[in-house]
Amino acid sequence: MTATADETKTKTTATMQLPAWLTTAGVNELLSLIHRPAQAGLMIEPIAPYTEQALPSIPTSTAEDVADAVATSRKAQKAWAMIPAAHKAKTMLRFHDLLVDRQNEVIDLIQLEMGKSRVNAWQEILQVGNIARHYARKGTSYLETNKVRGVMPGLTKVREVRVAKGVVGIISPWNYPLYLGVGDVIPALIAGNTVVSKADSATALTLLWTKKLFIEAGLPADAWIIVTGAGSVVGNALIDNVDFICFTGSTATGRKVAARAGERLIGASLELGGKNPLIVRADADIEAAAVGAVAGAYANTGQMCIHIERVLVNAAVYDEFKAAFVKAVEDLDVKQSFDYDCEVGTLASADQLATVVRHVDDAVAKGAKVLTGGKRLPEVGPYAYAPTVLEGVTPEMEVYLDETFGPVVSLYRVNSDQDALELANAGNYGLSASVWSKDHTMARVLARKLRSGSVNINDSAAAAAGSIEAGMGGMGDSGLGRRHGAEGIRKYTESQTIATQSLKMPLGVPEGMEIAKFVKVGNLQMKLLKRLGLR
């Protein structure tokens, strides 16, 4: 039973409890979807960010459970790969409809486990729904057989086909437990793989609920298996057994994932950290840029890999932008609520709060100025922190180029596009960036010079991230590979070349022909093909 709007309004910080629809039996049903949990002795003890109250304990998988999960998944993959593409697409579309119809259930879970505002939790529904529809409709076209020219045109037929990797491992984070937990599962399944996911310890219920919905949509239970536990045990075991690994998380951990995958010569897709810049040119619409910067910086309480942490403003409009931006930040409603009545929720954990406090305190101690915010909000919640704007940040401060992953933005005054470009490209990250200008041509010129996987013009982050047909990923320390679009599904396949020779004799020197004459004929053939404009 889905919670109604009236029911969710009654849930406050002081009386927060599990949603009425999530009974003890319901929790146990979700926990039963963890692969072999009864054999694990350790328990994960997650807490609710809004209140620091205990959430249901999560039994953990062992390394042996993970190996068994992959073996089970590998058996299931043989049958899943044989299912027609149209049937796979229908399964995804049924999941899409169930997700939209029952969204309040998982929105409740996301808020309970992660602490974001309800509207930010709903955005995960929007993104996953778009992904499900997109790959259900276009997935097979991305994987179509490609006919290419053979070595002997007309006599040799060559086709490139796509073959599923086998078992895909996915390690997803807590900040977008539905979108980042499921958004990669969908294309991997459409491509004919089966999947084993490691749920983040803080948000396991969200992922387990989603698996339950997939089963209701008709997905075989062993086509997507979920394991739980610490990355040092379960994550490593997953990499050691699967055929491809998809990881979203910190750059430091991503390096370890890549190294371990490299030892086994399996592919890896990694979306990692960012220190994303937003550039305000002298000709920008200042009011629109201020509003857009607020949306890009403080959505999801700043706990978003593509959120804005640095705003680089041309000196000619700096004071005007600063005034508009600070006012818009101060107008934000920071609240803990299970209704759509707040814009910014809480941080997800004590660790996230500690990082934010450390970065701001370090900056202030070294001379930065707090324009607004810069403090905890215990009257709102245990992990609540005021949306913060800093000025005068310098390279010796942690917040300068280290990822904060919280509601903190630094303003910088720049004298030209070139200065903005140099500052935006400082450091090793390259995930997302934003340019605000009325001159779209010049904005695109500037965008091409930014070292960033995505660049949004007159938008902070959502335009590129929401374009499911376009790839999304990072450069430099922000990762490898792309999600979304063609590459987002092709990465889960191997390219196989199948060449058919129509001649009755093998390619090479014909019997009885001198090698020198064969070489001469070959040279004449190359010149002829060039003259005819053939490849």
Side-chain angles (χ1 to χ4, degrees), residues 4-48:
T4 66
D6 288 338
E7 288 171 337
T8 58
K9 285 181 181 178
T10 66
K11 299 171 190 170
T12 65
T13 300
T15 60
M16 192 200 74
Q17 54 187 322
L18 292 180
W21 61 266
L22 190 61
T23 62
T24 299
V27 170
N28 290 336
E29 181 184 9
L30 295 183
L31 297 181
S32 71
L33 297 176
I34 302 171
H35 191 72
R36 294 188 359 185
Q39 297 186 23
L42 297 177
M43 301 291 286
I44 300 167
E45 304 294 346
I47 61 173

Side-chain angles (χ1 to χ4, degrees), residues 138 207 231 266-267 302 407-408 428:
K138 291 205 65 174
L207 206 60
I266 63 169
V408 180
N428 297 319

Side-chain angles (χ1 to χ4, degrees), residues 459-481:
D459 181 82
S460 54
S467 300
I468 305 300
E469 201 162 339
M472 177 184 171
M475 300 179 182
D477 283 359
S478 290
L480 303 170

Side-chain angles (χ1 to χ4, degrees), residues 112-337:
L112 275 170
E113 294 188 299
M114 193 263 161
K116 65 177 70 183
S117 71
R118 198 163 187 84
V119 67
N120 289 152
W122 172 81
Q123 287 169 346
E124 296 199 51
I125 304 293
L126 178 65
Q127 196 78 333
V128 171
N130 288 342
I131 290 170
R133 286 198 322 278
H134 178 72
Y135 284 116
R137 303 296 191 197
K138 291 205 65 174
T140 53
S141 66
Y142 287 141
L143 303 177
E144 284 181 347
T145 296
N146 183 31
K147 296 180 181 180
V148 298
R149 189 181 303 277
V151 63
M152 296 288 290
L155 298 177
T156 306
K157 296 179 180 179
V158 180
R159 289 171 171 79
E160 291 178 331
V161 300
R162 292 281 170 177
V163 179
K165 292 276 189 181
V167 179
V168 170
I170 296 179
I171 303 174
S172 56
W174 49 263
N175 61 319
Y176 279 87
L178 180 66
Y179 164 45
L180 296 178
V182 183
D184 287 297
V185 171
I186 291 168
L189 289 171
I190 289 282
N193 303 279
T194 49
V195 177
V196 179
S197 290
K198 188 193 93 64
D200 188 271
S201 296
T203 53
L205 292 179
T206 293
L207 206 60
L208 293 167
W209 179 93
T210 312
K211 172 170 179 174
K212 179 175 178 290
L213 209 67
F214 260 110
I215 293 172
E216 290 181 35
L219 184 73
D222 288 342
W224 181 27
I225 296 175
I226 296 176
V227 293
T228 55
S232 58
V233 176
V234 175
N236 286 345
L238 195 61
I239 300 167
D240 290 344
N241 286 277
V242 297
D243 304 307
F244 184 90
I245 191 72
C246 175
F247 171 81
T248 306
S250 72
T251 296
T253 303
R255 291 184 190 280
K256 296 176 183 178
V257 170
R260 201 172 187 104
E263 287 293 323
R264 293 193 58 232
L265 295 179
I266 63 169
S269 174
L270 313 168
E271 186 181 299
L272 309 176
K275 191 71 177 178
N276 308 301
L278 181 148
I279 296 173
V280 182
R281 299 186 73 238
D283 69 338
D285 181 327
I286 299 304
E287 194 62 36
V291 172
V294 168
Y298 302 106
N300 216 47
T301 321
Q303 299 164 120
M304 178 170 64
C305 55
I306 59 173
H307 93 112
I308 298 302
E309 295 202 11
R310 302 179 290 153
V311 179
L312 322 175
V313 188
N314 189 281
V317 294
Y318 181 86
D319 291 336
E320 181 184 359
F321 176 86
K322 179 173 76 170
F325 182 62
V326 170
K327 181 182 184 304
V329 173
E330 291 176 340
D331 287 343
L332 287 172
D333 179 25
V334 183
K335 195 173 181 180
Q336 297 189 157
S337 169

Side-chain angles (χ1 to χ4, degrees), residues 388-404:
T388 299
V389 182
L390 299 176
E391 186 180 50
V393 171
T394 53
E396 68 271 12
M397 300 173 187
E398 285 187 75
V399 77
Y400 183 71
L401 287 179
D402 288 356
E403 185 179 36
T404 304

